[in-house]
Amino acid sequence: MTVNKDFVVRTVAGETMLIPVGKNVLKYNGIFTLSESGAMIYRLLCEDKTEEEIIAALAESFGEAEATLKSDYDEFISQLKETDIISE
């Protein structure tokens, strides 16, 4: 997956946010706040990790079953695609 470079990640007061820059400032009016798991997924996507690697890292970090995390991962990825934050 390709991460749209017209977003920057910033952590302020413990909150991780995706902030549109460049041409995306006009398209998106605001910022996207990520949960702890969402921030981890986004960071790992930026590192070109595979879906399997990301889900394994989430399972290790959060102690959840991979099957549960797969569903959450798929939903989050779908949201990122809908907002053009990532693409195939």
Side-chain angles (χ1 to χ4, degrees):
M1 279 182 238
T2 304
V3 176
N4 184 339
K5 300 299 180 190
D6 286 331
F7 289 89
V8 295
V9 178
R10 295 291 182 261
T11 301
V12 177
E15 295 287 327
T16 302
M17 297 167 272
L18 281 176
I19 303 167
V21 296
K23 65 183 178 192
N24 279 338
V25 170
L26 299 174
K27 186 174 180 182
Y28 301 102
N29 187 19
I31 59 174
F32 301 92
T33 302
L34 302 177
S35 66
E36 185 178 353
S37 59
M40 184 177 193
I41 292 169
Y42 185 81
R43 179 180 51 79
L44 293 170
L45 286 170
C46 290
E47 295 174 8
D48 292 324
K49 300 294 183 186
T50 66
E51 176 180 324
E52 293 79 19
E53 291 171 317
I54 294 170
I55 292 171
L58 290 168
E60 182 178 321
S61 182
F62 296 103
E64 294 286 331
E66 287 192 16
T68 301
L69 294 168
K70 169 80 169 100
S71 174
D72 294 343
Y73 170 86
D74 288 341
E75 182 179 334
F76 184 66
I77 292 297
S78 177
Q79 291 172 353
L80 292 178
K81 287 178 181 177
E82 286 174 15
T83 54
D84 296 323
I85 293 172
I86 62 169
S87 60
E88 296 274 344

